[in-house]
Amino acid sequence: MSNEQNTLPPFIEHVLVHYTQNSTWDCGLSCIIMVLKDNERIQFLCNFSAICSEERIERSTWSIDLCYILRRFNVRHRYLTQMIGINPNHERNDYYDKILNKDSERVLDKFDRAKAMGIVIEQKTANNRLLIDHLANHGPIILLINSGLLNCDSCKTNRLSNELRTCFPFPYAPAYTGHYIVLCGYNLHSRKFLYRNPIMKDHVCMMSFDKMTDARIADGTDEDILLIFND
C-alpha cells in the first residue's frame, strides 16, 4: 500500500453514532441508521415499522432493500455488486434457503425499478484501493460480509466482556452467514480497516485489509458494497 501512503491521509475515521441491532435480521437497517444524519435517524427510528412495511421488508433484508431506504432519505450512494438480481447459486446456500422463496419477488421487482428510481447499481468488483479512496474522500461504506470471517484485532486484544467476544467467528456457525457492517476508516500504517459492527454496542473494531477482503468476497456476498457519499 505504499502508493496510498504517498497520496492519502495515513489515518481516517468517520465518526458515527453507533446503533446496535435489535434482532438477528436487521443488521443492514442498523448500518443505515449509523450513516444517517441526526434528524433522519430520528425520523427512521420513529417510523421504523411503517417504513419496513412500505418497503415490503419482513425479517430479512437484501442490499437492494438498503438502497431504497437510503433513497428515502436522499442519501447519495452507489451500489457495487457482482450480480444484478438474484444469484442462482444462492439456491445451494443453506443461509438463503429460508428467505429466497419469500423475498425473490420483492428483490427482483426492486432491481427492475432501480434505474427509474435513480438508484445507481454497477456490476463490478472493488479492490482495497477503491475502498480506501472512498473512505478518504467521500464517506463510510456499508459492506455485506460473511460474519464467520470477522476477526477483530481490537476485541482480541481487549477481551473485556462476552459482548466483545461476539465479534469472533463461532465454531458452530454455518459456512456462510450474511451480515452487514459499516467501514468507517482505515489505518495505512497498520494496514487495517476500522468498522462498526451493529451486533456490538458502541465500539470501533479493526481488521486487516487482507482479512476484510476474505470476509467481503466470500461466497454468498456477491461482493455487495454500498458507497455512501457525505454531501
CSV table of all heavy atoms in Angstrom, one decimal, residues 145-153 155-156 159 163-175 177 195 197 199-200 207 211 215:
chain,number,residue,atom,x,y,z
A,145,ILE,N,-20.8,-9.0,4.4
A,145,ILE,CA,-19.7,-9.9,4.7
A,145,ILE,C,-20.2,-11.2,5.2
A,145,ILE,O,-21.3,-11.4,5.6
A,145,ILE,CB,-18.6,-9.3,5.7
A,145,ILE,CG1,-19.3,-8.8,7.0
A,145,ILE,CG2,-18.0,-8.1,5.1
A,145,ILE,CD1,-19.4,-9.8,8.1
A,146,ASN,N,-19.3,-12.2,5.3
A,146,ASN,CA,-19.6,-13.4,6.0
A,146,ASN,C,-19.2,-13.3,7.4
A,146,ASN,O,-18.0,-13.1,7.7
A,146,ASN,CB,-18.8,-14.6,5.3
A,146,ASN,CG,-19.1,-15.9,6.0
A,146,ASN,OD1,-19.7,-16.0,7.0
A,146,ASN,ND2,-18.6,-17.0,5.4
A,147,SER,N,-20.1,-13.2,8.3
A,147,SER,CA,-19.8,-12.9,9.7
A,147,SER,C,-18.9,-13.9,10.3
A,147,SER,O,-18.2,-13.6,11.3
A,147,SER,CB,-21.1,-12.8,10.5
A,147,SER,OG,-21.7,-14.1,10.6
A,148,GLY,N,-18.9,-15.1,9.8
A,148,GLY,CA,-17.9,-16.1,10.4
A,148,GLY,C,-16.5,-15.8,10.1
A,148,GLY,O,-15.6,-16.4,10.7
A,149,LEU,N,-16.2,-14.8,9.3
A,149,LEU,CA,-14.8,-14.5,9.0
A,149,LEU,C,-14.4,-13.2,9.6
A,149,LEU,O,-13.3,-12.7,9.4
A,149,LEU,CB,-14.6,-14.4,7.4
A,149,LEU,CG,-14.8,-15.7,6.7
A,149,LEU,CD1,-14.7,-15.4,5.2
A,149,LEU,CD2,-13.9,-16.7,7.1
A,150,LEU,N,-15.3,-12.6,10.4
A,150,LEU,CA,-14.9,-11.4,11.2
A,150,LEU,C,-13.9,-11.8,12.2
A,150,LEU,O,-14.1,-12.8,12.9
A,150,LEU,CB,-16.1,-10.7,11.8
A,150,LEU,CG,-17.0,-9.9,11.0
A,150,LEU,CD1,-18.1,-9.3,11.8
A,150,LEU,CD2,-16.2,-8.7,10.3
A,151,ASN,N,-12.9,-11.0,12.4
A,151,ASN,CA,-11.8,-11.3,13.3
A,151,ASN,C,-11.2,-10.0,13.8
A,151,ASN,O,-10.2,-9.5,13.3
A,151,ASN,CB,-10.8,-12.2,12.7
A,151,ASN,CG,-9.8,-12.8,13.7
A,151,ASN,OD1,-9.8,-12.5,14.8
A,151,ASN,ND2,-9.0,-13.7,13.2
A,152,CYS,N,-11.8,-9.4,14.8
A,152,CYS,CA,-11.4,-8.0,15.2
A,152,CYS,C,-10.2,-8.0,16.1
A,152,CYS,O,-10.2,-8.7,17.1
A,152,CYS,CB,-12.6,-7.4,15.9
A,152,CYS,SG,-12.2,-5.8,16.7
A,153,ASP,N,-9.2,-7.3,15.7
A,153,ASP,CA,-7.9,-7.2,16.4
A,153,ASP,C,-8.1,-6.5,17.7
A,153,ASP,O,-7.5,-6.8,18.7
A,153,ASP,CB,-6.8,-6.5,15.6
A,153,ASP,CG,-6.4,-7.4,14.4
A,153,ASP,OD1,-6.5,-8.6,14.5
A,153,ASP,OD2,-6.0,-6.8,13.4
A,155,CYS,N,-11.0,-6.3,19.6
A,155,CYS,CA,-11.7,-7.2,20.5
A,155,CYS,C,-10.8,-8.3,21.0
A,155,CYS,O,-10.8,-8.8,22.1
A,155,CYS,CB,-12.9,-7.9,19.8
A,155,CYS,SG,-14.2,-6.7,19.4
A,156,LYS,N,-9.9,-8.8,20.1
A,156,LYS,CA,-9.0,-9.9,20.5
A,156,LYS,C,-8.0,-9.4,21.6
A,156,LYS,O,-7.6,-10.1,22.5
A,156,LYS,CB,-8.2,-10.3,19.3
A,156,LYS,CG,-7.4,-11.6,19.4
A,156,LYS,CD,-6.5,-11.8,18.2
A,156,LYS,CE,-7.4,-11.9,16.9
A,156,LYS,NZ,-6.6,-12.2,15.7
A,159,ARG,N,-10.3,-8.3,25.6
A,159,ARG,CA,-11.4,-9.2,25.9
A,159,ARG,C,-12.1,-8.8,27.2
A,159,ARG,O,-11.9,-9.4,28.3
A,159,ARG,CB,-10.9,-10.7,26.0
A,159,ARG,CG,-10.4,-11.1,24.6
A,159,ARG,CD,-10.2,-12.6,24.6
A,159,ARG,NE,-9.8,-13.1,23.2
A,159,ARG,CZ,-9.7,-14.3,22.9
A,159,ARG,NH1,-10.0,-15.3,23.7
A,159,ARG,NH2,-9.3,-14.6,21.7
A,163,GLU,N,-19.7,-9.6,25.4
A,163,GLU,CA,-20.2,-8.8,24.3
A,163,GLU,C,-19.2,-8.7,23.2
A,163,GLU,O,-19.4,-8.8,22.1
A,163,GLU,CB,-20.7,-7.5,24.8
A,163,GLU,CG,-21.0,-6.5,23.8
A,163,GLU,CD,-20.9,-5.1,24.3
A,163,GLU,OE1,-21.4,-4.9,25.4
A,163,GLU,OE2,-20.4,-4.2,23.6
A,164,LEU,N,-17.9,-8.4,23.7
A,164,LEU,CA,-16.9,-8.2,22.7
A,164,LEU,C,-16.5,-9.5,22.0
A,164,LEU,O,-16.2,-9.5,20.8
A,164,LEU,CB,-15.6,-7.6,23.4
A,164,LEU,CG,-15.7,-6.2,23.9
A,164,LEU,CD1,-14.4,-5.8,24.5
A,164,LEU,CD2,-16.1,-5.2,22.8
A,165,ARG,N,-16.7,-10.6,22.6
A,165,ARG,CA,-16.3,-11.9,22.0
A,165,ARG,C,-17.3,-12.2,20.9
A,165,ARG,O,-17.0,-13.1,20.1
A,165,ARG,CB,-16.3,-13.0,23.1
A,165,ARG,CG,-15.1,-12.8,24.1
A,165,ARG,CD,-14.9,-14.1,24.9
A,165,ARG,NE,-14.0,-13.8,26.0
A,165,ARG,CZ,-14.4,-13.6,27.2
A,165,ARG,NH1,-15.6,-13.5,27.5
A,165,ARG,NH2,-13.4,-13.3,28.2
A,166,THR,N,-18.5,-11.6,20.9
A,166,THR,CA,-19.4,-11.9,19.8
A,166,THR,C,-18.9,-11.5,18.4
A,166,THR,O,-19.4,-11.8,17.4
A,166,THR,CB,-20.8,-11.2,20.0
A,166,THR,OG1,-20.6,-9.8,20.0
A,166,THR,CG2,-21.4,-11.7,21.3
A,167,CYS,N,-17.8,-10.7,18.4
A,167,CYS,CA,-17.2,-10.3,17.2
A,167,CYS,C,-16.4,-11.4,16.5
A,167,CYS,O,-16.1,-11.4,15.3
A,167,CYS,CB,-16.2,-9.1,17.4
A,167,CYS,SG,-15.8,-8.2,15.9
A,168,PHE,N,-16.1,-12.5,17.3
A,168,PHE,CA,-15.3,-13.6,16.7
A,168,PHE,C,-16.2,-14.6,16.0
A,168,PHE,O,-17.4,-14.8,16.4
A,168,PHE,CB,-14.6,-14.3,17.9
A,168,PHE,CG,-13.6,-13.4,18.6
A,168,PHE,CD1,-13.6,-13.3,19.9
A,168,PHE,CD2,-12.7,-12.6,17.9
A,168,PHE,CE1,-12.7,-12.5,20.6
A,168,PHE,CE2,-11.8,-11.8,18.5
A,168,PHE,CZ,-11.8,-11.8,19.9
A,169,PRO,N,-15.7,-15.3,15.1
A,169,PRO,CA,-16.4,-16.4,14.5
A,169,PRO,C,-16.7,-17.5,15.5
A,169,PRO,O,-15.9,-17.8,16.4
A,169,PRO,CB,-15.5,-16.9,13.3
A,169,PRO,CG,-14.2,-16.4,13.7
A,169,PRO,CD,-14.4,-15.2,14.5
A,170,PHE,N,-17.8,-18.2,15.3
A,170,PHE,CA,-18.1,-19.3,16.2
A,170,PHE,C,-17.9,-20.6,15.6
A,170,PHE,O,-18.2,-20.8,14.4
A,170,PHE,CB,-19.6,-19.2,16.7
A,170,PHE,CG,-19.9,-18.0,17.5
A,170,PHE,CD1,-20.5,-16.9,17.0
A,170,PHE,CD2,-19.6,-18.0,18.9
A,170,PHE,CE1,-20.8,-15.8,17.8
A,170,PHE,CE2,-19.9,-16.9,19.7
A,170,PHE,CZ,-20.5,-15.8,19.1
A,171,PRO,N,-17.4,-21.6,16.3
A,171,PRO,CA,-17.1,-22.9,15.6
A,171,PRO,C,-18.3,-23.6,15.1
A,171,PRO,O,-18.2,-24.4,14.2
A,171,PRO,CB,-16.5,-23.7,16.8
A,171,PRO,CG,-16.9,-23.0,18.1
A,171,PRO,CD,-17.1,-21.6,17.7
A,172,TYR,N,-19.5,-23.3,15.6
A,172,TYR,CA,-20.7,-24.0,15.2
A,172,TYR,C,-21.5,-23.2,14.1
A,172,TYR,O,-22.6,-23.6,13.7
A,172,TYR,CB,-21.7,-24.2,16.4
A,172,TYR,CG,-22.0,-23.0,17.2
A,172,TYR,CD1,-23.0,-22.1,16.8
A,172,TYR,CD2,-21.3,-22.7,18.4
A,172,TYR,CE1,-23.3,-21.0,17.6
A,172,TYR,CE2,-21.6,-21.6,19.1
A,172,TYR,CZ,-22.6,-20.7,18.7
A,172,TYR,OH,-22.8,-19.6,19.4
A,173,ALA,N,-20.9,-22.0,13.7
A,173,ALA,CA,-21.6,-21.2,12.7
A,173,ALA,C,-21.7,-21.9,11.3
A,173,ALA,O,-20.8,-22.7,11.0
A,173,ALA,CB,-20.9,-19.9,12.5
A,174,PRO,N,-22.7,-21.7,10.5
A,174,PRO,CA,-22.8,-22.3,9.2
A,174,PRO,C,-21.7,-21.7,8.3
A,174,PRO,O,-21.0,-20.7,8.7
A,174,PRO,CB,-24.2,-21.9,8.7
A,174,PRO,CG,-24.5,-20.7,9.5
A,174,PRO,CD,-23.9,-20.9,10.8
A,175,ALA,N,-21.5,-22.3,7.2
A,175,ALA,CA,-20.4,-21.9,6.3
A,175,ALA,C,-20.5,-20.5,5.9
A,175,ALA,O,-19.5,-19.8,5.7
A,175,ALA,CB,-20.3,-22.8,5.0
A,177,THR,N,-22.9,-16.9,6.8
A,177,THR,CA,-23.9,-16.1,7.5
A,177,THR,C,-23.8,-14.7,7.0
A,177,THR,O,-22.8,-14.0,7.4
A,177,THR,CB,-23.8,-16.3,9.0
A,177,THR,OG1,-24.0,-17.6,9.4
A,177,THR,CG2,-25.0,-15.5,9.6
A,195,TYR,N,-14.1,-0.5,11.5
A,195,TYR,CA,-15.5,-0.7,11.2
A,195,TYR,C,-16.4,-0.8,12.4
A,195,TYR,O,-15.9,-1.0,13.5
A,195,TYR,CB,-15.7,-2.0,10.4
A,195,TYR,CG,-15.4,-3.3,11.1
A,195,TYR,CD1,-16.4,-4.1,11.7
A,195,TYR,CD2,-14.1,-3.8,11.2
A,195,TYR,CE1,-16.1,-5.3,12.4
A,195,TYR,CE2,-13.8,-5.0,11.8
A,195,TYR,CZ,-14.8,-5.7,12.4
A,195,TYR,OH,-14.5,-6.9,13.1
A,197,ASN,N,-19.7,-2.7,13.9
A,197,ASN,CA,-20.5,-3.9,13.8
A,197,ASN,C,-21.8,-3.8,14.6
A,197,ASN,O,-21.7,-3.6,15.8
A,197,ASN,CB,-19.6,-5.1,14.4
A,197,ASN,CG,-20.3,-6.4,14.2
A,197,ASN,OD1,-21.5,-6.5,13.8
A,197,ASN,ND2,-19.6,-7.5,14.5
A,199,ILE,N,-23.9,-5.7,15.6
A,199,ILE,CA,-24.2,-6.7,16.7
A,199,ILE,C,-23.5,-6.3,18.0
A,199,ILE,O,-23.9,-6.8,19.1
A,199,ILE,CB,-23.7,-8.1,16.3
A,199,ILE,CG1,-24.5,-9.2,17.0
A,199,ILE,CG2,-22.2,-8.3,16.5
A,199,ILE,CD1,-24.2,-10.6,16.5
A,200,MET,N,-22.6,-5.3,18.0
A,200,MET,CA,-21.9,-4.8,19.2
A,200,MET,C,-22.6,-3.6,19.8
A,200,MET,O,-23.4,-3.0,19.1
A,200,MET,CB,-20.5,-4.4,18.8
A,200,MET,CG,-19.7,-5.5,18.0
A,200,MET,SD,-19.1,-6.7,19.1
A,200,MET,CE,-17.7,-5.8,19.8
A,207,MET,N,-9.7,-4.6,11.6
A,207,MET,CA,-9.4,-5.8,10.9
A,207,MET,C,-8.4,-5.5,9.8
A,207,MET,O,-8.6,-4.5,9.1
A,207,MET,CB,-10.7,-6.4,10.5
A,207,MET,CG,-10.6,-7.8,10.0
A,207,MET,SD,-12.3,-8.5,10.0
A,207,MET,CE,-12.2,-9.7,8.7
A,211,LYS,N,-7.8,-9.7,5.7
A,211,LYS,CA,-8.9,-10.5,6.3
A,211,LYS,C,-10.2,-9.9,6.0
A,211,LYS,O,-11.2,-10.6,5.8
A,211,LYS,CB,-8.7,-10.6,7.8
A,211,LYS,CG,-7.5,-11.5,8.2
A,211,LYS,CD,-7.4,-11.6,9.7
A,211,LYS,CE,-6.2,-12.6,10.1
A,211,LYS,NZ,-6.1,-12.7,11.5
A,215,ALA,N,-13.5,-11.7,4.0
A,215,ALA,CA,-14.9,-11.7,4.6
A,215,ALA,C,-15.9,-11.1,3.5
A,215,ALA,O,-17.0,-11.6,3.4
A,215,ALA,CB,-14.9,-10.8,5.9
